[in-house]
Amino acid sequence: MAYLEIKNFCKKFGNTEVLKGIDISIEKGEVLSIIGSSGSGKTTFLRCINFLETPDSGTMILDGETLFDAERDKKVKESALRTKRLNFGLVFQSFNLFPQYSVFDNITLAPLLQLKERAKKDKTIDYSEEKQKILDDAEKLLAKTGLTDKKAAYPCELSGGQQQRVAIARALALKPKILCFDEPTSALDPELTGEVLKVIRSLKGEDRTMIIVTHEMGFAKNVSDKVVFMANGVIEEEGDPKEVFDNPKSEKLKAFLTGINNKEGE
């Protein structure tokens, strides 16, 4: 069985079908990139995986555990959703950092709050020891993302690339089983894109399971183990990156790649 297996995810907003039966499987340590035009359903799919939207139908199994079954989970308490979300880390395109907190506090806030909740329920937890582990892990994440010298800075004092790297470190701080990116470079100037992609590429070297919605075709081709092309709410084509990009079979994918290449050649 695949590490993550999603079957028949469907989602409607009003009368508009955004997802029309999405099936995806990912092995542990794989990097899956999802490409496609705006409005193809990529972000909605990512939000469904992260329990920010609820699919109308379908199932999701992660590491042998059924996290979502539409027949069973039509109404789930918010507390249960929060627990399920901890399996995933989501890096948004717009950073979503807390402006009133420093870089270090942005990274440690969620795990420290989580620790407090756990300590209330389990009196055997050594709070001081666990807190120090969180702080030590945050220092390592700062180093991993090249932000050690920005530890005390606030988001308004950072470039867009630095803010996105903080967002990546914050997502990693909760030790998610799968790390998801929603167009992580779309809000960045071209000269800042490379530094964020470099961090994501380094995570692949750690055998980390990732799902990346991206418009960076060269990056998707080089970093991915598998690429999915979505169009009009369905998976139009999927496979090995080299095959998808160099030998596309779907006419829609051919048109999409031609459009991208023409735009980049302007």
Side-chain angles (χ1 to χ4, degrees):
M1 178 182 288
Y3 187 57
L4 176 67
E5 192 166 7
I6 292 164
K7 297 181 180 177
N8 195 39
F9 260 21
C10 296
K11 179 66 178 178
K12 291 175 69 174
F13 293 103
N15 294 323
T16 303
E17 278 189 289
V18 180
L19 301 179
K20 304 173 185 177
I22 302 295
D23 297 322
I24 280 179
S25 64
I26 309 172
E27 299 299 330
K28 191 168 186 178
E30 267 193 337
V31 176
L32 169 72
S33 287
I34 304 177
I35 62 173
S37 302
S38 297
S40 60
K42 308 185 302 296
T43 294
T44 297
F45 174 67
L46 210 57
R47 289 178 63 83
C48 285
I49 292 175
N50 284 270
F51 295 95
L52 298 175
E53 301 286 354
T54 303
D56 300 317
S57 68
T59 59
M60 176 165 60
I61 301 170
L62 175 60
D63 200 13
E65 177 188 356
T66 301
L67 283 186
F68 178 80
D69 183 337
E71 296 300 314
R72 180 193 71 187
D73 299 327
K74 289 292 185 183
K75 294 183 179 179
V76 180
K77 291 182 179 180
E78 182 61 31
S79 58
L81 285 177
R82 284 201 301 270
T83 300
K84 291 174 185 286
R85 286 183 190 125
L86 292 174
N87 290 288
F88 303 89
L90 178 57
V91 179
F92 299 89
Q93 55 184 288
S94 54
F95 319 139
N96 286 9
L97 300 179
F98 297 110
Q100 71 273 36
Y101 294 127
S102 69
V103 166
F104 195 72
D105 289 341
N106 262 281
I107 295 170
T108 57
L109 179 63
L112 287 175
L113 288 174
Q114 186 185 44
L115 174 60
K116 284 183 180 179
E117 287 188 16
R118 286 173 45 226
K120 284 180 183 178
K121 297 175 183 177
D122 185 354
K123 301 301 180 182
T124 66
I125 290 176
D126 186 329
Y127 182 83
S128 296
E129 182 180 334
E130 293 295 317
K131 179 180 179 181
Q132 190 58 51
K133 285 181 182 177
I134 290 172
L135 300 181
D136 290 344
D137 285 346
E139 294 281 4
K140 293 174 184 175
L141 288 171
L142 284 171
K144 183 192 298 287
T145 52
L147 292 165
T148 299
D149 61 335
K150 300 296 182 182
K151 176 180 177 178
Y154 287 84
C156 64
E157 300 172 311
L158 305 178
S159 70
Q162 290 168 337
Q163 290 186 57
Q164 191 61 294
R165 283 186 278 150
V166 175
I168 293 171
R170 181 177 63 179
L172 289 169
L174 287 170
K175 297 179 169 58
K177 291 183 176 179
I178 296 182
L179 187 59
C180 302
F181 295 88
D182 183 16
E183 299 281 11
T185 61
S186 66
L188 302 179
D189 293 331
E191 64 268 22
L192 300 176
T193 294
E195 64 187 58
V196 173
L197 297 183
K198 181 180 179 181
V199 170
I200 298 173
R201 194 175 287 110
S202 73
L203 297 175
K204 177 180 171 62
E206 299 174 354
D207 203 31
R208 189 175 297 277
T209 311
M210 295 188 281
I211 301 174
I212 307 171
V213 169
T214 183
H215 64 280
E216 298 285 346
M217 298 299 111
F219 175 71
K221 182 177 180 179
N222 292 327
V223 81
S224 307
D225 297 294
K226 182 161 57 176
V227 174
V228 164
F229 169 63
M230 288 183 64
N232 301 317
V234 302
I235 293 177
E236 187 73 22
E237 191 167 334
E238 64 179 304
D240 175 85
K242 187 170 178 59
E243 281 295 306
V244 169
F245 287 107
D246 296 344
N247 189 30
K249 298 173 180 63
S250 159
E251 292 302 320
K252 289 182 180 179
L253 176 54
K254 290 177 183 177
F256 172 75
L257 293 175
T258 298
I260 291 288
N261 291 334
N262 288 342
K263 184 177 180 181
E264 289 180 347
E266 287 176 357

